[in-house]
Amino acid sequence: MPKGRFLREDYHSELAVMRTPAMGMIRGFMLDHPEVEFEIVDGAADDVVERLARGTVELGLTAHGDLQDSFCFEPLLQEQFYGVAHRSHPWPMQKSISWSDFKGETVLATRPGTSIRAIADAAFSEYSISVSERFNACSAATIRGLLRAGVGVAALPALEVQGFGLDDFV
């Protein structure tokens, strides 16, 4: 699924931005507009859309979702999702895994309203995978801790997996 940015029509000399993993584009903007002061605001996809609608941020980076007509969406990248598990899990014995391998697993997921959750839920629905046991976490960092403890498996985008210190994950 593509990730992207939401833009509002008005422009200010102070730009408040919702943070996501795709922050590299800010550097180029900063070089072109040194007069703009950035305020980085962390939030999930639903929070990004809400803040944009209220006008408390001018730019939001998140996955495409249900947007108001006043928003403009421009894809910045397309991320690959990975099935992630602790090395003690049976998945390392398999040559590859697919969405169907999540059937019957304890799935570690971000809370509803996040872009990661929306994308994973859409894939589970598309492949008719019923996920009965699920831990809902507020962040990928919490999921990483649960993965390290061997609690379950997760579907995470490449940008979230980067920097995990993958020596004990597969």
Side-chain angles (χ1 to χ4, degrees), residues 80-116:
Q80 184 171 355
F81 267 66
Y82 291 92
V84 184
H86 191 272
R87 287 199 181 280
S88 64
H89 190 276
W91 282 357
M93 305 308 283
Q94 297 175 214
K95 186 175 182 176
S96 66
I97 63 167
S98 68
W99 286 104
S100 62
D101 289 309
F102 282 85
K103 286 182 182 176
E105 295 288 346
T106 298
V107 176
L108 310 173
T110 54
R111 70 166 180 79
T114 63
S115 57
I116 295 171

PDB file of all heavy atoms in Angstrom, residues 80-116:
ATOM      1  N   GLN A  80       6.788  -2.737   1.476  1.00  0.00           N
ATOM      2  CA  GLN A  80       6.557  -4.177   1.558  1.00  0.00           C
ATOM      3  C   GLN A  80       6.325  -4.528   3.024  1.00  0.00           C
ATOM      4  O   GLN A  80       6.988  -4.000   3.915  1.00  0.00           O
ATOM      5  CB  GLN A  80       7.771  -4.928   1.027  1.00  0.00           C
ATOM      6  CG  GLN A  80       7.570  -6.411   0.981  1.00  0.00           C
ATOM      7  CD  GLN A  80       8.716  -7.095   0.248  1.00  0.00           C
ATOM      8  OE1 GLN A  80       9.605  -6.459  -0.288  1.00  0.00           O
ATOM      9  NE2 GLN A  80       8.683  -8.407   0.241  1.00  0.00           N
ATOM     10  N   PHE A  81       5.369  -5.409   3.284  1.00  0.00           N
ATOM     11  CA  PHE A  81       5.117  -5.893   4.631  1.00  0.00           C
ATOM     12  C   PHE A  81       5.850  -7.216   4.845  1.00  0.00           C
ATOM     13  O   PHE A  81       5.997  -8.002   3.917  1.00  0.00           O
ATOM     14  CB  PHE A  81       3.614  -6.073   4.880  1.00  0.00           C
ATOM     15  CG  PHE A  81       2.973  -4.876   5.497  1.00  0.00           C
ATOM     16  CD1 PHE A  81       2.883  -3.688   4.793  1.00  0.00           C
ATOM     17  CD2 PHE A  81       2.476  -4.919   6.781  1.00  0.00           C
ATOM     18  CE1 PHE A  81       2.309  -2.568   5.366  1.00  0.00           C
ATOM     19  CE2 PHE A  81       1.894  -3.808   7.362  1.00  0.00           C
ATOM     20  CZ  PHE A  81       1.811  -2.631   6.651  1.00  0.00           C
ATOM     21  N   TYR A  82       6.281  -7.435   6.076  1.00  0.00           N
ATOM     22  CA  TYR A  82       6.989  -8.651   6.444  1.00  0.00           C
ATOM     23  C   TYR A  82       6.269  -9.344   7.585  1.00  0.00           C
ATOM     24  O   TYR A  82       5.756  -8.686   8.489  1.00  0.00           O
ATOM     25  CB  TYR A  82       8.421  -8.331   6.902  1.00  0.00           C
ATOM     26  CG  TYR A  82       9.311  -7.850   5.786  1.00  0.00           C
ATOM     27  CD1 TYR A  82       9.444  -6.504   5.511  1.00  0.00           C
ATOM     28  CD2 TYR A  82      10.004  -8.769   5.010  1.00  0.00           C
ATOM     29  CE1 TYR A  82      10.256  -6.070   4.479  1.00  0.00           C
ATOM     30  CE2 TYR A  82      10.819  -8.342   3.977  1.00  0.00           C
ATOM     31  CZ  TYR A  82      10.943  -6.989   3.715  1.00  0.00           C
ATOM     32  OH  TYR A  82      11.741  -6.569   2.693  1.00  0.00           O
ATOM     33  N   GLY A  83       6.272 -10.669   7.543  1.00  0.00           N
ATOM     34  CA  GLY A  83       5.860 -11.454   8.696  1.00  0.00           C
ATOM     35  C   GLY A  83       7.076 -11.566   9.597  1.00  0.00           C
ATOM     36  O   GLY A  83       8.151 -11.956   9.152  1.00  0.00           O
ATOM     37  N   VAL A  84       6.938 -11.151  10.858  1.00  0.00           N
ATOM     38  CA  VAL A  84       8.070 -11.121  11.780  1.00  0.00           C
ATOM     39  C   VAL A  84       7.762 -12.020  12.973  1.00  0.00           C
ATOM     40  O   VAL A  84       6.667 -11.965  13.538  1.00  0.00           O
ATOM     41  CB  VAL A  84       8.356  -9.677  12.274  1.00  0.00           C
ATOM     42  CG1 VAL A  84       9.595  -9.642  13.151  1.00  0.00           C
ATOM     43  CG2 VAL A  84       8.500  -8.712  11.098  1.00  0.00           C
ATOM     44  N   ALA A  85       8.738 -12.840  13.347  1.00  0.00           N
ATOM     45  CA  ALA A  85       8.590 -13.739  14.484  1.00  0.00           C
ATOM     46  C   ALA A  85       9.948 -13.932  15.151  1.00  0.00           C
ATOM     47  O   ALA A  85      10.993 -13.675  14.551  1.00  0.00           O
ATOM     48  CB  ALA A  85       8.042 -15.092  14.034  1.00  0.00           C
ATOM     49  N   HIS A  86       9.912 -14.376  16.381  1.00  0.00           N
ATOM     50  CA  HIS A  86      11.146 -14.712  17.098  1.00  0.00           C
ATOM     51  C   HIS A  86      11.756 -15.961  16.452  1.00  0.00           C
ATOM     52  O   HIS A  86      11.046 -16.797  15.891  1.00  0.00           O
ATOM     53  CB  HIS A  86      10.818 -14.984  18.579  1.00  0.00           C
ATOM     54  CG  HIS A  86      12.020 -15.081  19.445  1.00  0.00           C
ATOM     55  ND1 HIS A  86      12.688 -16.269  19.631  1.00  0.00           N
ATOM     56  CD2 HIS A  86      12.683 -14.138  20.149  1.00  0.00           C
ATOM     57  CE1 HIS A  86      13.719 -16.053  20.428  1.00  0.00           C
ATOM     58  NE2 HIS A  86      13.736 -14.773  20.754  1.00  0.00           N
ATOM     59  N   ARG A  87      13.063 -16.094  16.554  1.00  0.00           N
ATOM     60  CA  ARG A  87      13.754 -17.259  15.953  1.00  0.00           C
ATOM     61  C   ARG A  87      13.267 -18.598  16.513  1.00  0.00           C
ATOM     62  O   ARG A  87      13.397 -19.622  15.854  1.00  0.00           O
ATOM     63  CB  ARG A  87      15.257 -17.144  16.165  1.00  0.00           C
ATOM     64  CG  ARG A  87      15.887 -16.096  15.295  1.00  0.00           C
ATOM     65  CD  ARG A  87      17.392 -16.293  15.172  1.00  0.00           C
ATOM     66  NE  ARG A  87      17.967 -15.260  14.342  1.00  0.00           N
ATOM     67  CZ  ARG A  87      17.947 -15.268  13.019  1.00  0.00           C
ATOM     68  NH1 ARG A  87      17.379 -16.258  12.393  1.00  0.00           N
ATOM     69  NH2 ARG A  87      18.486 -14.284  12.337  1.00  0.00           N
ATOM     70  N   SER A  88      12.688 -18.593  17.699  1.00  0.00           N
ATOM     71  CA  SER A  88      12.192 -19.844  18.277  1.00  0.00           C
ATOM     72  C   SER A  88      10.862 -20.284  17.661  1.00  0.00           C
ATOM     73  O   SER A  88      10.396 -21.384  17.905  1.00  0.00           O
ATOM     74  CB  SER A  88      12.035 -19.693  19.794  1.00  0.00           C
ATOM     75  OG  SER A  88      11.041 -18.718  20.088  1.00  0.00           O
ATOM     76  N   HIS A  89      10.254 -19.434  16.854  1.00  0.00           N
ATOM     77  CA  HIS A  89       8.975 -19.726  16.207  1.00  0.00           C
ATOM     78  C   HIS A  89       9.204 -20.710  15.052  1.00  0.00           C
ATOM     79  O   HIS A  89      10.303 -20.769  14.495  1.00  0.00           O
ATOM     80  CB  HIS A  89       8.367 -18.410  15.689  1.00  0.00           C
ATOM     81  CG  HIS A  89       6.974 -18.541  15.215  1.00  0.00           C
ATOM     82  ND1 HIS A  89       6.667 -18.972  13.934  1.00  0.00           N
ATOM     83  CD2 HIS A  89       5.800 -18.321  15.823  1.00  0.00           C
ATOM     84  CE1 HIS A  89       5.355 -19.002  13.779  1.00  0.00           C
ATOM     85  NE2 HIS A  89       4.804 -18.606  14.932  1.00  0.00           N
ATOM     86  N   PRO A  90       8.205 -21.505  14.664  1.00  0.00           N
ATOM     87  CA  PRO A  90       8.366 -22.450  13.547  1.00  0.00           C
ATOM     88  C   PRO A  90       8.621 -21.811  12.173  1.00  0.00           C
ATOM     89  O   PRO A  90       9.112 -22.477  11.272  1.00  0.00           O
ATOM     90  CB  PRO A  90       7.035 -23.216  13.525  1.00  0.00           C
ATOM     91  CG  PRO A  90       6.477 -23.074  14.899  1.00  0.00           C
ATOM     92  CD  PRO A  90       6.948 -21.731  15.395  1.00  0.00           C
ATOM     93  N   TRP A  91       8.308 -20.530  11.968  1.00  0.00           N
ATOM     94  CA  TRP A  91       8.481 -19.921  10.654  1.00  0.00           C
ATOM     95  C   TRP A  91       9.898 -20.047  10.076  1.00  0.00           C
ATOM     96  O   TRP A  91      10.041 -20.206   8.865  1.00  0.00           O
ATOM     97  CB  TRP A  91       8.060 -18.457  10.674  1.00  0.00           C
ATOM     98  CG  TRP A  91       6.574 -18.239  10.624  1.00  0.00           C
ATOM     99  CD1 TRP A  91       5.599 -19.194  10.501  1.00  0.00           C
ATOM    100  CD2 TRP A  91       5.903 -16.997  10.690  1.00  0.00           C
ATOM    101  NE1 TRP A  91       4.359 -18.603  10.493  1.00  0.00           N
ATOM    102  CE2 TRP A  91       4.512 -17.251  10.612  1.00  0.00           C
ATOM    103  CE3 TRP A  91       6.320 -15.684  10.813  1.00  0.00           C
ATOM    104  CZ2 TRP A  91       3.563 -16.247  10.643  1.00  0.00           C
ATOM    105  CZ3 TRP A  91       5.383 -14.675  10.845  1.00  0.00           C
ATOM    106  CH2 TRP A  91       4.003 -14.961  10.755  1.00  0.00           C
ATOM    107  N   PRO A  92      10.960 -19.987  10.877  1.00  0.00           N
ATOM    108  CA  PRO A  92      12.304 -20.090  10.266  1.00  0.00           C
ATOM    109  C   PRO A  92      12.534 -21.408   9.526  1.00  0.00           C
ATOM    110  O   PRO A  92      13.410 -21.478   8.664  1.00  0.00           O
ATOM    111  CB  PRO A  92      13.262 -19.982  11.454  1.00  0.00           C
ATOM    112  CG  PRO A  92      12.502 -19.263  12.494  1.00  0.00           C
ATOM    113  CD  PRO A  92      11.063 -19.676  12.300  1.00  0.00           C
ATOM    114  N   MET A  93      11.761 -22.429   9.838  1.00  0.00           N
ATOM    115  CA  MET A  93      11.913 -23.726   9.169  1.00  0.00           C
ATOM    116  C   MET A  93      11.284 -23.714   7.775  1.00  0.00           C
ATOM    117  O   MET A  93      11.550 -24.600   6.968  1.00  0.00           O
ATOM    118  CB  MET A  93      11.280 -24.837  10.014  1.00  0.00           C
ATOM    119  CG  MET A  93      11.818 -24.906  11.452  1.00  0.00           C
ATOM    120  SD  MET A  93      13.605 -24.977  11.555  1.00  0.00           S
ATOM    121  CE  MET A  93      13.860 -26.674  11.120  1.00  0.00           C
ATOM    122  N   GLN A  94      10.448 -22.728   7.501  1.00  0.00           N
ATOM    123  CA  GLN A  94       9.774 -22.625   6.209  1.00  0.00           C
ATOM    124  C   GLN A  94      10.648 -21.846   5.226  1.00  0.00           C
ATOM    125  O   GLN A  94      11.384 -20.942   5.617  1.00  0.00           O
ATOM    126  CB  GLN A  94       8.423 -21.903   6.368  1.00  0.00           C
ATOM    127  CG  GLN A  94       7.445 -22.636   7.242  1.00  0.00           C
ATOM    128  CD  GLN A  94       6.174 -21.852   7.477  1.00  0.00           C
ATOM    129  OE1 GLN A  94       5.604 -21.946   8.542  1.00  0.00           O
ATOM    130  NE2 GLN A  94       5.727 -21.068   6.512  1.00  0.00           N
ATOM    131  N   LYS A  95      10.529 -22.186   3.954  1.00  0.00           N
ATOM    132  CA  LYS A  95      11.282 -21.488   2.915  1.00  0.00           C
ATOM    133  C   LYS A  95      10.778 -20.058   2.757  1.00  0.00           C
ATOM    134  O   LYS A  95      11.553 -19.127   2.549  1.00  0.00           O
ATOM    135  CB  LYS A  95      11.154 -22.254   1.598  1.00  0.00           C
ATOM    136  CG  LYS A  95      11.992 -21.701   0.497  1.00  0.00           C
ATOM    137  CD  LYS A  95      11.917 -22.583  -0.732  1.00  0.00           C
ATOM    138  CE  LYS A  95      12.819 -22.029  -1.815  1.00  0.00           C
ATOM    139  NZ  LYS A  95      12.845 -22.901  -2.980  1.00  0.00           N
ATOM    140  N   SER A  96       9.474 -19.864   2.868  1.00  0.00           N
ATOM    141  CA  SER A  96       8.858 -18.539   2.798  1.00  0.00           C
ATOM    142  C   SER A  96       7.544 -18.585   3.565  1.00  0.00           C
ATOM    143  O   SER A  96       7.052 -19.657   3.902  1.00  0.00           O
ATOM    144  CB  SER A  96       8.622 -18.122   1.348  1.00  0.00           C
ATOM    145  OG  SER A  96       7.660 -18.956   0.746  1.00  0.00           O
ATOM    146  N   ILE A  97       6.998 -17.415   3.837  1.00  0.00           N
ATOM    147  CA  ILE A  97       5.689 -17.347   4.490  1.00  0.00           C
ATOM    148  C   ILE A  97       4.776 -16.458   3.664  1.00  0.00           C
ATOM    149  O   ILE A  97       5.237 -15.652   2.858  1.00  0.00           O
ATOM    150  CB  ILE A  97       5.769 -16.830   5.948  1.00  0.00           C
ATOM    151  CG1 ILE A  97       6.284 -15.400   6.010  1.00  0.00           C
ATOM    152  CG2 ILE A  97       6.593 -17.747   6.811  1.00  0.00           C
ATOM    153  CD1 ILE A  97       6.084 -14.744   7.349  1.00  0.00           C
ATOM    154  N   SER A  98       3.476 -16.629   3.880  1.00  0.00           N
ATOM    155  CA  SER A  98       2.480 -15.804   3.200  1.00  0.00           C
ATOM    156  C   SER A  98       1.457 -15.351   4.234  1.00  0.00           C
ATOM    157  O   SER A  98       1.503 -15.753   5.399  1.00  0.00           O
ATOM    158  CB  SER A  98       1.810 -16.606   2.082  1.00  0.00           C
ATOM    159  OG  SER A  98       1.028 -17.644   2.644  1.00  0.00           O
ATOM    160  N   TRP A  99       0.513 -14.545   3.798  1.00  0.00           N
ATOM    161  CA  TRP A  99      -0.517 -14.068   4.716  1.00  0.00           C
ATOM    162  C   TRP A  99      -1.262 -15.239   5.356  1.00  0.00           C
ATOM    163  O   TRP A  99      -1.651 -15.169   6.516  1.00  0.00           O
ATOM    164  CB  TRP A  99      -1.495 -13.133   3.993  1.00  0.00           C
ATOM    165  CG  TRP A  99      -0.911 -11.788   3.701  1.00  0.00           C
ATOM    166  CD1 TRP A  99      -0.473 -11.323   2.497  1.00  0.00           C
ATOM    167  CD2 TRP A  99      -0.681 -10.729   4.640  1.00  0.00           C
ATOM    168  NE1 TRP A  99       0.008 -10.045   2.635  1.00  0.00           N
ATOM    169  CE2 TRP A  99      -0.116  -9.656   3.933  1.00  0.00           C
ATOM    170  CE3 TRP A  99      -0.904 -10.586   6.013  1.00  0.00           C
ATOM    171  CZ2 TRP A  99       0.235  -8.450   4.544  1.00  0.00           C
ATOM    172  CZ3 TRP A  99      -0.549  -9.384   6.620  1.00  0.00           C
ATOM    173  CH2 TRP A  99       0.010  -8.338   5.900  1.00  0.00           C
ATOM    174  N   SER A 100      -1.447 -16.330   4.623  1.00  0.00           N
ATOM    175  CA  SER A 100      -2.189 -17.470   5.173  1.00  0.00           C
ATOM    176  C   SER A 100      -1.459 -18.103   6.358  1.00  0.00           C
ATOM    177  O   SER A 100      -2.086 -18.779   7.181  1.00  0.00           O
ATOM    178  CB  SER A 100      -2.454 -18.515   4.095  1.00  0.00           C
ATOM    179  OG  SER A 100      -1.243 -19.034   3.597  1.00  0.00           O
ATOM    180  N   ASP A 101      -0.156 -17.892   6.485  1.00  0.00           N
ATOM    181  CA  ASP A 101       0.593 -18.433   7.620  1.00  0.00           C
ATOM    182  C   ASP A 101       0.225 -17.762   8.947  1.00  0.00           C
ATOM    183  O   ASP A 101       0.602 -18.254  10.013  1.00  0.00           O
ATOM    184  CB  ASP A 101       2.099 -18.310   7.375  1.00  0.00           C
ATOM    185  CG  ASP A 101       2.574 -19.267   6.295  1.00  0.00           C
ATOM    186  OD1 ASP A 101       2.254 -20.464   6.390  1.00  0.00           O
ATOM    187  OD2 ASP A 101       3.238 -18.804   5.352  1.00  0.00           O
ATOM    188  N   PHE A 102      -0.512 -16.674   8.893  1.00  0.00           N
ATOM    189  CA  PHE A 102      -0.955 -16.011  10.120  1.00  0.00           C
ATOM    190  C   PHE A 102      -2.150 -16.716  10.756  1.00  0.00           C
ATOM    191  O   PHE A 102      -2.472 -16.459  11.909  1.00  0.00           O
ATOM    192  CB  PHE A 102      -1.302 -14.538   9.851  1.00  0.00           C
ATOM    193  CG  PHE A 102      -0.102 -13.650   9.730  1.00  0.00           C
ATOM    194  CD1 PHE A 102       0.569 -13.519   8.528  1.00  0.00           C
ATOM    195  CD2 PHE A 102       0.363 -12.949  10.833  1.00  0.00           C
ATOM    196  CE1 PHE A 102       1.682 -12.703   8.417  1.00  0.00           C
ATOM    197  CE2 PHE A 102       1.480 -12.132  10.730  1.00  0.00           C
ATOM    198  CZ  PHE A 102       2.135 -12.009   9.522  1.00  0.00           C
ATOM    199  N   LYS A 103      -2.808 -17.612  10.006  1.00  0.00           N
ATOM    200  CA  LYS A 103      -3.963 -18.345  10.558  1.00  0.00           C
ATOM    201  C   LYS A 103      -3.516 -19.124  11.788  1.00  0.00           C
ATOM    202  O   LYS A 103      -2.511 -19.820  11.774  1.00  0.00           O
ATOM    203  CB  LYS A 103      -4.542 -19.304   9.522  1.00  0.00           C
ATOM    204  CG  LYS A 103      -5.320 -18.631   8.447  1.00  0.00           C
ATOM    205  CD  LYS A 103      -5.913 -19.641   7.478  1.00  0.00           C
ATOM    206  CE  LYS A 103      -6.652 -18.913   6.374  1.00  0.00           C
ATOM    207  NZ  LYS A 103      -7.157 -19.817   5.358  1.00  0.00           N
ATOM    208  N   GLY A 104      -4.271 -19.007  12.861  1.00  0.00           N
ATOM    209  CA  GLY A 104      -3.997 -19.746  14.082  1.00  0.00           C
ATOM    210  C   GLY A 104      -2.883 -19.178  14.940  1.00  0.00           C
ATOM    211  O   GLY A 104      -2.569 -19.733  15.984  1.00  0.00           O
ATOM    212  N   GLU A 105      -2.284 -18.071  14.524  1.00  0.00           N
ATOM    213  CA  GLU A 105      -1.190 -17.458  15.278  1.00  0.00           C
ATOM    214  C   GLU A 105      -1.713 -16.388  16.237  1.00  0.00           C
ATOM    215  O   GLU A 105      -2.761 -15.796  16.017  1.00  0.00           O
ATOM    216  CB  GLU A 105      -0.177 -16.800  14.329  1.00  0.00           C
ATOM    217  CG  GLU A 105       0.554 -17.758  13.432  1.00  0.00           C
ATOM    218  CD  GLU A 105       1.580 -18.588  14.182  1.00  0.00           C
ATOM    219  OE1 GLU A 105       1.923 -18.268  15.334  1.00  0.00           O
ATOM    220  OE2 GLU A 105       2.057 -19.572  13.591  1.00  0.00           O
ATOM    221  N   THR A 106      -0.957 -16.147  17.287  1.00  0.00           N
ATOM    222  CA  THR A 106      -1.218 -14.986  18.140  1.00  0.00           C
ATOM    223  C   THR A 106      -0.594 -13.798  17.423  1.00  0.00           C
ATOM    224  O   THR A 106       0.623 -13.740  17.249  1.00  0.00           O
ATOM    225  CB  THR A 106      -0.580 -15.164  19.525  1.00  0.00           C
ATOM    226  OG1 THR A 106      -1.173 -16.291  20.162  1.00  0.00           O
ATOM    227  CG2 THR A 106      -0.786 -13.924  20.383  1.00  0.00           C
ATOM    228  N   VAL A 107      -1.442 -12.891  16.966  1.00  0.00           N
ATOM    229  CA  VAL A 107      -0.982 -11.770  16.153  1.00  0.00           C
ATOM    230  C   VAL A 107      -0.791 -10.534  17.030  1.00  0.00           C
ATOM    231  O   VAL A 107      -1.686 -10.136  17.769  1.00  0.00           O
ATOM    232  CB  VAL A 107      -1.976 -11.476  15.009  1.00  0.00           C
ATOM    233  CG1 VAL A 107      -1.547 -10.245  14.218  1.00  0.00           C
ATOM    234  CG2 VAL A 107      -2.086 -12.676  14.092  1.00  0.00           C
ATOM    235  N   LEU A 108       0.385  -9.958  16.928  1.00  0.00           N
ATOM    236  CA  LEU A 108       0.707  -8.710  17.610  1.00  0.00           C
ATOM    237  C   LEU A 108       0.466  -7.587  16.618  1.00  0.00           C
ATOM    238  O   LEU A 108       1.032  -7.606  15.519  1.00  0.00           O
ATOM    239  CB  LEU A 108       2.167  -8.714  18.055  1.00  0.00           C
ATOM    240  CG  LEU A 108       2.634  -9.951  18.816  1.00  0.00           C
ATOM    241  CD1 LEU A 108       4.129  -9.901  19.044  1.00  0.00           C
ATOM    242  CD2 LEU A 108       1.884 -10.060  20.130  1.00  0.00           C
ATOM    243  N   ALA A 109      -0.382  -6.649  16.965  1.00  0.00           N
ATOM    244  CA  ALA A 109      -0.761  -5.600  16.019  1.00  0.00           C
ATOM    245  C   ALA A 109      -0.799  -4.240  16.695  1.00  0.00           C
ATOM    246  O   ALA A 109      -0.961  -4.149  17.911  1.00  0.00           O
ATOM    247  CB  ALA A 109      -2.136  -5.909  15.421  1.00  0.00           C
ATOM    248  N   THR A 110      -0.662  -3.217  15.877  1.00  0.00           N
ATOM    249  CA  THR A 110      -0.869  -1.868  16.402  1.00  0.00           C
ATOM    250  C   THR A 110      -2.366  -1.680  16.607  1.00  0.00           C
ATOM    251  O   THR A 110      -3.182  -2.429  16.078  1.00  0.00           O
ATOM    252  CB  THR A 110      -0.315  -0.807  15.436  1.00  0.00           C
ATOM    253  OG1 THR A 110      -0.884  -1.015  14.143  1.00  0.00           O
ATOM    254  CG2 THR A 110       1.204  -0.864  15.368  1.00  0.00           C
ATOM    255  N   ARG A 111      -2.723  -0.691  17.382  1.00  0.00           N
ATOM    256  CA  ARG A 111      -4.129  -0.475  17.718  1.00  0.00           C
ATOM    257  C   ARG A 111      -4.945  -0.101  16.489  1.00  0.00           C
ATOM    258  O   ARG A 111      -4.394   0.394  15.505  1.00  0.00           O
ATOM    259  CB  ARG A 111      -4.250   0.612  18.779  1.00  0.00           C
ATOM    260  CG  ARG A 111      -3.908   2.006  18.265  1.00  0.00           C
ATOM    261  CD  ARG A 111      -4.370   3.075  19.240  1.00  0.00           C
ATOM    262  NE  ARG A 111      -4.053   4.399  18.781  1.00  0.00           N
ATOM    263  CZ  ARG A 111      -4.742   5.076  17.860  1.00  0.00           C
ATOM    264  NH1 ARG A 111      -5.790   4.537  17.287  1.00  0.00           N
ATOM    265  NH2 ARG A 111      -4.383   6.304  17.506  1.00  0.00           N
ATOM    266  N   PRO A 112      -6.262  -0.324  16.533  1.00  0.00           N
ATOM    267  CA  PRO A 112      -7.114   0.154  15.441  1.00  0.00           C
ATOM    268  C   PRO A 112      -6.945   1.664  15.275  1.00  0.00           C
ATOM    269  O   PRO A 112      -6.753   2.388  16.248  1.00  0.00           O
ATOM    270  CB  PRO A 112      -8.532  -0.191  15.923  1.00  0.00           C
ATOM    271  CG  PRO A 112      -8.338  -1.332  16.871  1.00  0.00           C
ATOM    272  CD  PRO A 112      -7.020  -1.051  17.557  1.00  0.00           C
ATOM    273  N   GLY A 113      -6.985   2.119  14.037  1.00  0.00           N
ATOM    274  CA  GLY A 113      -6.800   3.539  13.749  1.00  0.00           C
ATOM    275  C   GLY A 113      -5.413   3.867  13.240  1.00  0.00           C
ATOM    276  O   GLY A 113      -5.167   4.963  12.767  1.00  0.00           O
ATOM    277  N   THR A 114      -4.494   2.891  13.320  1.00  0.00           N
ATOM    278  CA  THR A 114      -3.155   3.112  12.777  1.00  0.00           C
ATOM    279  C   THR A 114      -3.113   2.603  11.338  1.00  0.00           C
ATOM    280  O   THR A 114      -3.875   1.713  10.961  1.00  0.00           O
ATOM    281  CB  THR A 114      -2.084   2.375  13.605  1.00  0.00           C
ATOM    282  OG1 THR A 114      -2.324   0.974  13.533  1.00  0.00           O
ATOM    283  CG2 THR A 114      -2.078   2.837  15.056  1.00  0.00           C
ATOM    284  N   SER A 115      -2.210   3.172  10.554  1.00  0.00           N
ATOM    285  CA  SER A 115      -2.103   2.737   9.162  1.00  0.00           C
ATOM    286  C   SER A 115      -1.608   1.301   9.066  1.00  0.00           C
ATOM    287  O   SER A 115      -2.076   0.543   8.211  1.00  0.00           O
ATOM    288  CB  SER A 115      -1.192   3.682   8.376  1.00  0.00           C
ATOM    289  OG  SER A 115       0.083   3.763   8.969  1.00  0.00           O
ATOM    290  N   ILE A 116      -0.698   0.902   9.945  1.00  0.00           N
ATOM    291  CA  ILE A 116      -0.194  -0.470   9.923  1.00  0.00           C
ATOM    292  C   ILE A 116      -1.342  -1.449  10.159  1.00  0.00           C
ATOM    293  O   ILE A 116      -1.482  -2.446   9.461  1.00  0.00           O
ATOM    294  CB  ILE A 116       0.920  -0.676  10.969  1.00  0.00           C
ATOM    295  CG1 ILE A 116       2.140   0.179  10.622  1.00  0.00           C
ATOM    296  CG2 ILE A 116       1.305  -2.153  11.080  1.00  0.00           C
ATOM    297  CD1 ILE A 116       3.203   0.195  11.709  1.00  0.00           C
TER     298      ILE A 116
END
